[in-house]
Amino acid sequence: MERFEVIIIGAGLAGLAAAYTLAGEGIEVVVLERGEFPGAKNVSGGRLYLNPVRPLFPSLWEDAPFERKIVHEGITLLAKEGSVALEYSGEELRRPPGHSFSVLRSRFDRWLAERAEERGAAILPNTLVERPLVEQGRVIGVRAGGEDLAADVVISCDGALSLTAEKAGLRTPGFPRDYAVGVKEVIALDPGKIADRFHVSEGEGSARLYLGEVTKGMFGGGFLYTNRDSISIGLVIRIEDIGGEAARSVPALLDEFKERPEICSLVRGGTTAEYSAHLIPEAGLRGMGKLYGDGIIIAGDAAGLALNLGLTVRGMEYALASGYYAAQAFLRAKGKRDFSAPSLEVYRSLLDDSFVLKDFRNFAGTPDVLDNPRYFEHYPELAAAVFRDLYKVPAGSKDTLFSTVRRHVDLKEIWSILKDLKKASAI
Amino acid sequence: MSENAGLKAKLGLDVFKPLGKPHIRIRPGMEKDSRLKAAVTGCPAGLYTENEKGEVTLAIDGCLECGTCRIACGTDVLDWNYPQGGEGVQFRFG
């Protein structure tokens, strides 16, 4: 049986971060990737926030294939007819080295894989891991492409479904309540048009979030990111909410979103280049699976390390960081020549002390607060109705502004808003 | 263009490598299970359809391998695996 020190399953951000870190320490590491090349199966919205992960990979970022540096942050409340938009622009978003960047994962992950290979990591594409090899409750390797491969530790970074962890008995299949599906189109568009439509200069870009009618009131939202010469546009919906009373299909929702006047003017003249879909773990701390076992560490989406924070949805930094800490945990375990679960527990404490699980603890209450239909239907409609009437010049005389607002925001409404605010204090 | 034709055209933009055998199957006898309804509306590629007898069928070509159906329907209803290495969708943008 061929033997490695570490086998990593999945060339996504977690797996590649682990491979890059381990190879840099001279560890014999192989990454098994079922796609034709690293990145071929990977999808994100997507935007990467660099601040939390910059120090973990100090020399990495200089020539990273980022699409655009995000300098405008927009949120739009979409009502059935009409919308209210807010945009934040800040000099600190613009200042080097930059706060967040749009990425296209197929390009980005291929680049990261090359950096790991330069350091000596082996990456095997076209290789599906069928199952982990388990002996007396201990993971000793994997079966892949009809062959058995052995390792001191398997780092499982096989994505949100986490089939390896499931087959190793470390977790059970997920629930519709804890996952969302994201669908996305990449629409090729001339960079000059992107600059004009989003008010950005070369290399700079815009990120937008859409709430309300985009999901017909279901838990989720729409997103838009500008890339170098394309726009990523899509929506995210909780799986539990799909196929309810409204029963609008997910592809139809994306089409309707794109037809909104707020959107179609932004993508006009562009051509769709790719259509993709991906699963997102959204349960936060409650949905986090087991992080390690005997001979196995789980990182990235596979460990449930993604968070919906309302204004920001995060996963890629957690994937990169958990891959890094998985590598650190292996190095410590190697020092003791002990790859049992108690020895690998250091992975959990490294994550505990890092921004990863600090964020998860800080935002443990967020999924329950966001699980409030008022955010996805009532507030967008209310905001649009208030502004509609504030701007309206009727045939006769116009009401005072205060009474116009009060017509929509009566005592009962104020009471409901206060109740939502009280709950939102857990955010 | 009908909704379905539009979706097929969109999927036609993606790069797919031929599948050896279907990697997802509705388990025999489960075709009328109500959990499949969520796959009919939720599958981003629109691969699940319900016929007039109330049975759901799955046409695997165009699968984006997202896993929505596995989460929505569960493993009692679906025998769900990834395609073999190098098969299925290969994202160029992602």
Side-chain angles (χ1 to χ4, degrees):
Chain A
M1 196 169 12
E2 203 172 345
R3 203 175 169 85
F4 301 88
E5 290 187 274
V6 178
I7 291 174
I8 295 171
I9 308 173
L13 292 181
L16 294 172
Y20 175 85
T21 308
L22 288 168
E25 299 291 331
I27 302 298
E28 215 182 329
V29 54
V30 64
V31 183
L32 306 178
E33 164 55 44
R34 64 189 187 88
E36 258 191 332
F37 52 85
K41 301 287 182 180
N42 305 346
V43 180
S44 78
R47 168 238 297 264
L48 181 64
Y49 294 93
L50 223 44
N51 286 338
V53 290
R54 195 177 278 116
L56 303 181
F57 314 92
S59 54
L60 184 62
W61 307 108
E62 204 75 336
D63 64 336
F66 295 130
E67 295 295 319
R68 286 171 183 267
K69 176 163 71 179
I70 302 301
V71 299
H72 299 309
E73 300 277 2
I75 178 162
T76 302
L77 300 176
L78 278 182
K80 286 188 181 63
E81 297 183 336
S83 58
V84 180
L86 192 70
E87 186 168 89
Y88 171 72
S89 306
E91 274 311 306
E92 84 290 354
L93 299 178
R94 201 165 256 134
R95 229 170 271 140
H99 178 253
S100 72
F101 295 84
S102 53
V103 291
L104 289 168
R105 290 287 302 282
S106 190
R107 292 176 187 172
F108 188 83
D109 292 14
R110 216 177 324 188
W111 168 84
L112 185 55
E114 283 163 12
R115 301 290 80 76
E117 279 178 310
E118 280 169 5
R119 291 179 147 202
I123 297 182
L124 285 187
N126 299 309
T127 307
L128 176 72
V129 169
E130 290 148 48
R131 57 183 171 83
L133 299 174
V134 185
E135 218 167 66
Q136 293 163 345
R138 171 185 177 77
V139 174
I140 57 155
V142 299
R143 184 164 183 81
E147 262 184 85
D148 287 347
L149 306 172
D152 291 331
V153 170
V154 171
I155 304 181
S156 175
C157 311
D158 54 343
L161 285 179
S162 197
L163 297 191
T164 306
E166 205 178 295
K167 287 171 183 165
L170 292 169
R171 66 180 304 161
T172 51
F175 299 104
R177 187 185 160 69
D178 295 340
Y179 290 83
V181 56
V183 288
K184 180 175 92 160
E185 279 183 39
V186 174
I187 301 179
L189 192 65
D190 174 63
K193 286 196 170 124
I194 294 176
D196 292 347
R197 290 177 192 180
F198 294 91
H199 320 123
V200 291
S201 4
E202 204 188 325
E204 297 185 338
S206 180
R208 291 183 185 180
L209 180 72
Y210 298 83
L211 287 178
E213 185 62 9
V214 51
T215 57
K216 309 284 171 204
M218 290 182 275
F219 188 106
F223 61 82
L224 184 155
Y225 297 101
T226 54
N227 305 314
R228 230 174 292 178
D229 48 12
S230 66
I231 286 177
S232 292
I233 181 161
L235 53 91
V236 174
I237 300 181
R238 184 167 62 182
I239 292 182
E240 189 184 45
D241 289 16
I242 291 168
E245 296 308 303
R248 196 79 108 259
S249 80
V250 168
L253 285 171
L254 179 58
D255 283 338
E256 285 173 37
F257 178 43
K258 275 174 58 195
E259 280 160 21
R260 289 284 305 210
E262 293 87 348
I263 297 295
C264 71
S265 57
L266 295 174
V267 299
R268 189 179 298 133
T271 20
T272 301
E274 187 169 81
Y275 175 56
S276 57
H278 206 78
L279 213 58
I280 308 168
E282 280 208 331
L285 197 58
R286 184 175 53 77
M288 221 173 61
K290 260 207 180 120
L291 295 170
Y292 58 90
D294 285 318
I296 184 169
I297 297 177
I298 301 160
D301 276 0
L305 294 175
L307 271 186
N308 182 341
L309 310 180
L311 284 182
T312 53
V313 180
R314 312 241 326 251
M316 292 193 274
E317 304 83 61
Y318 301 134
L320 285 166
S322 61
Y324 171 84
Y325 289 116
Q328 297 302 330
F330 171 82
L331 293 170
R332 300 213 191 170
K334 187 187 173 185
K336 296 191 279 180
R337 292 299 311 161
D338 177 2
F339 303 108
S340 67
S343 176
L344 294 177
E345 193 183 0
V346 65
Y347 174 55
R348 169 84 201 203
S349 42
L350 288 167
L351 284 178
D352 260 330
D353 296 339
S354 75
F355 74 94
V356 178
L357 290 189
K358 282 180 188 162
D359 278 359
F360 272 71
R361 286 191 297 271
N362 283 345
F363 292 94
T366 307
D368 286 336
V369 173
L370 293 179
D371 191 4
N372 176 350
R374 282 170 61 86
Y375 291 125
F376 304 101
E377 183 158 11
H378 178 71
Y379 286 124
E381 292 296 337
L382 179 67
V386 167
F387 279 98
R388 178 193 66 211
D389 289 349
L390 283 174
Y391 282 112
K392 186 174 178 180
V393 177
S397 71
K398 183 169 168 59
D399 274 348
T400 62
L401 298 186
F402 185 74
S403 62
T404 303
V405 173
R406 277 304 302 273
R407 197 162 57 238
H408 294 288
V409 188
D410 57 13
L411 281 176
K412 191 162 154 261
E413 180 60 41
I414 291 172
W415 182 240
S416 302
I417 292 173
L418 285 174
K419 275 202 292 192
D420 284 345
L421 276 175
K422 183 160 182 285
K423 273 188 244 154
S425 62
I427 281 183
Chain B
M1 202 157 34
S2 81
E3 187 187 298
N4 203 33
L7 183 55
K8 285 274 175 281
K10 228 193 267 188
L11 288 166
L13 301 169
D14 292 356
V15 174
F16 290 96
K17 291 291 153 83
L19 295 165
K21 56 176 187 186
H23 54 284
I24 306 169
R25 286 183 316 120
I26 300 169
R27 291 189 191 276
M30 301 305 274
E31 296 83 357
K32 290 187 175 182
D33 193 280
S34 62
R35 285 169 282 187
L36 282 166
K37 292 201 189 312
V40 174
T41 46
C43 173
L47 303 181
Y48 290 83
T49 36
E50 190 175 354
N51 64 22
E52 56 290 349
K53 285 185 279 182
E55 296 163 348
V56 174
T57 56
L58 164 63
I60 199 74
D61 285 333
C63 177
L64 298 170
E65 302 165 29
C66 63
T68 300
C69 57
R70 189 181 199 262
I71 298 290
C73 308
T75 47
D76 295 343
V77 177
L78 297 178
D79 176 13
W80 202 105
N81 295 286
Y82 285 117
Q84 291 302 307
E87 295 182 3
V89 70
Q90 314 288 336
F91 294 116
R92 293 159 300 146
F93 296 92

